[in-house]
Amino acid sequence: CLDGEGKVHEFDSSWRTEDCDDCSCSKTGIGCCTSYMRPVDYDEEKCESIFNKETCSYTVVEKDDHSKECPVHSWVG
């Protein structure tokens, strides 16, 4: 399989992209999906979500004080 970056992958192999997608190669082609959950139910006026590419995860923190995490009631992925 040839991925979008021009790299060749063997059949029945899997890998994680720089954009935190989990991909796999089979004889029918490449399939990819996100490896992380995205926060969707939190106080968006007071808080903001920040994506960490190194850990492939979101944190939700107060806009005025990033040291304070906000509660999240729902995640999707």
Side-chain angles (χ1 to χ4, degrees):
C1 298
L2 185 64
D3 70 15
E5 297 175 359
K7 295 178 185 173
V8 177
H9 299 273
E10 294 182 11
F11 291 131
D12 300 320
S13 66
S14 59
W15 65 95
R16 181 166 284 175
T17 69
E18 289 182 10
D19 294 326
C20 295
D21 290 332
D22 286 333
C23 298
S24 61
C25 169
S26 70
K27 291 183 180 175
T28 58
I30 292 178
C32 296
C33 61
T34 58
S35 65
Y36 52 88
M37 300 292 280
R38 189 170 45 87
V40 292
D41 186 8
Y42 61 93
D43 184 347
E44 293 186 36
E45 287 186 27
K46 180 181 176 184
C47 306
E48 65 183 328
S49 64
I50 299 173
F51 187 70
N52 181 332
K53 242 182 173 177
E54 289 186 19
T55 61
C56 295
S57 63
Y58 278 95
T59 55
V60 180
V61 294
E62 290 186 8
K63 290 179 181 178
D64 296 334
D65 185 353
H66 284 190
S67 70
K68 295 181 181 177
E69 287 195 31
C70 296
V72 178
H73 306 291
S74 285
W75 298 79
V76 295

